[in-house]
Amino acid sequence: MKNAKLKVSLLGCGAIGRTIVENSGDEYEILAVFDRNTEKAEELAGICSAEVAKSMEEFLEYASLSDVVVEAASQQAVRECPKILECTNLVIMSVGALSDSELLEKLINTARESGKKVLIPSGAVGGIDALKAVKGLAEEVVLKTVKHPESLKGAPFFKEKGISENIEERTVLFEGSAIEAIRLFPANVNVAATVSLACMGFDRTRVIVIADPNVRENVHEIRAKGEFGELVFKVRNRKHPKNPKTSYLAALSVVKLLRDLAGEMRVGT
Ligand SMILES: NC(=O)c1ccc[n+]([C@@H]2O[C@H](COP(=O)([O-])OP(=O)(O)OC[C@H]3O[C@@H](n4cnc5c(N)ncnc54)[C@H](O)[C@@H]3O)[C@@H](O)[C@H]2O)c1
């Protein structure tokens, strides 16, 4: 006989929140939602008959009745997350926020004290299972991200380096550490942060950022080397229909994580 469904509450009712709601069913149900834009929260709650929290304080009450909270809001929202972790497990989508080592330490210490867990989905990339397995053995991890120049516009990189944002041919813009890449291209933080956390950390993970007017999708290629051999993973991500800045795969990856939490068996490291 199937046990009660996993109770999930959502912090953030945008593109990813919607995909989570649309895929709820036998495995998990949505208990409560919170968004700083109450209209968005109400719209999403209407689809799944969830409670709408009107404030973070109210949301924390629902969080304590949930098996897990999913943060799918913003890096700023992650700063509120230690309070959530005091009362339940926490999935973090805005994983770039964890490049702030103080915040990361605070979350880990809170989880240790409360006995709850911080869960980071693979998000917009694959291969995170293998990178985790070779942690401590990898001699090199390189993430190569290729994007259309439009998707890179507004990055602090261009101002700081005095380079024009109007790029007409494939150009390698940056090669360096993940921590530096995150500073110069804050809109690309999530993949770089997930890869860093999985294996070699923010200082030792190498990132290459390429602008290419001929690509439509966001392409991420991860390479790792060590005594275990060589790992190569490549994804060409389609945009989420509700948010062109988010890859659809990222939303699917958190749905799968929730189904795994609810289910009897989990495949993959
Ligand atoms: N891990 C990954 O690979 C990955 C991939 C894509 C997106 N993301 C991240 O996931 C997050 C959600 O993505 P999305 O596409 O659903 O974004 P979205 O913009 O469609 O939705 C975010 C929602 O969160 C709300 N929000 C933002 N800050 C808030 C706060 N402090 N308190 C309450 N509500 C707040 C906004 O009003 C909005 O409705 C983003 O931070 C994004 O960068 C991660």
Side-chain angles (χ1 to χ4, degrees):
M1 204 172 67
K2 184 88 181 148
N3 292 333
K5 290 180 193 178
L6 187 84
K7 286 189 173 46
V8 178
S9 288
L10 298 180
L11 170 55
C13 298
I16 293 178
R18 179 170 282 266
T19 300
I20 293 170
V21 165
E22 287 174 350
N23 285 279
S24 58
D26 290 346
E27 291 108 337
Y28 65 87
E29 63 188 355
I30 313 297
L31 178 68
V33 298
F34 176 56
D35 197 295
R36 61 184 173 196
N37 177 338
T38 309
E39 261 176 40
K40 280 185 144 187
E42 280 167 355
E43 192 190 329
L44 211 55
I47 305 175
C48 58
S49 312
E51 305 289 341
V52 178
K54 296 282 188 314
S55 63
M56 186 46 109
E57 288 63 40
E58 207 184 317
F59 184 68
L60 287 173
E61 288 175 28
Y62 291 118
S64 65
L65 303 172
S66 308
D67 297 306
V68 60
V69 164
V70 179
E71 175 285 319
S74 60
Q75 291 198 40
Q76 187 210 340
V78 180
R79 309 211 155 266
E80 307 269 358
C81 282
K83 284 185 271 182
I84 295 172
L85 206 43
E86 282 171 18
C87 51
T88 193
N89 300 301
L90 173 71
V91 177
I92 296 181
M93 286 311 292
S94 309
V95 58
L98 306 185
S99 63
D100 174 345
S101 55
E102 265 178 44
L103 179 58
L104 178 61
E105 201 181 315
K106 193 168 177 191
L107 286 162
I108 288 172
N109 287 339
T110 310
R112 190 174 293 132
E113 280 160 25
S114 65
K116 305 297 180 192
K117 277 202 187 294
V118 181
L119 302 154
I120 316 272
S122 300
V125 282
I128 297 301
D129 51 351
L131 285 178
K132 275 160 56 179
V134 301
K135 188 169 185 165
L137 295 175
E139 286 150 19
E140 172 184 281
V141 176
V142 181
L143 164 69
K144 186 164 88 182
T145 294
V146 186
K147 288 192 166 184
H148 193 279
E150 276 301 314
S151 309
L152 295 166
K153 277 192 173 164
F157 169 84
F158 296 102
K159 213 169 183 186
E160 201 173 305
K161 306 286 175 193
I163 291 174
S164 164
E165 293 187 344
N166 299 316
I167 294 164
E168 284 166 11
E169 58 187 46
R170 187 177 164 101
T171 310
V172 178
L173 293 177
F174 173 83
E175 283 194 58
S177 68
I179 196 76
E180 189 65 352
I182 286 170
R183 188 178 72 74
L184 293 170
F185 298 93
N188 293 320
V189 291
N190 294 309
V191 168
T194 305
V195 169
S196 299
L197 288 166
C199 198
M200 284 189 90
F202 289 93
D203 292 322
R204 293 177 65 215
T205 301
R206 310 297 295 164
V207 174
I208 302 171
V209 179
I210 297 175
D212 187 344
N214 298 314
V215 297
R216 282 163 174 261
E217 294 113 347
N218 290 337
V219 184
H220 299 290
E221 188 177 301
I222 302 166
R223 287 179 178 266
K225 269 193 209 156
E227 63 184 64
F228 50 86
E230 188 173 1
L231 310 174
V232 183
F233 310 98
K234 191 168 183 174
V235 290
R236 287 179 194 280
N237 276 324
R238 290 270 158 90
K239 293 167 183 161
H240 192 291
K242 297 278 177 195
N243 182 356
K245 288 190 182 156
T246 284
S247 298
Y248 191 43
L249 178 65
L252 297 177
S253 95
V254 64
V255 167
K256 181 58 185 149
L257 185 146
L258 295 173
R259 288 184 172 154
D260 276 354
L261 286 177
E264 293 74 28
M265 187 167 94
R266 186 182 140 163
V267 181
T269 303

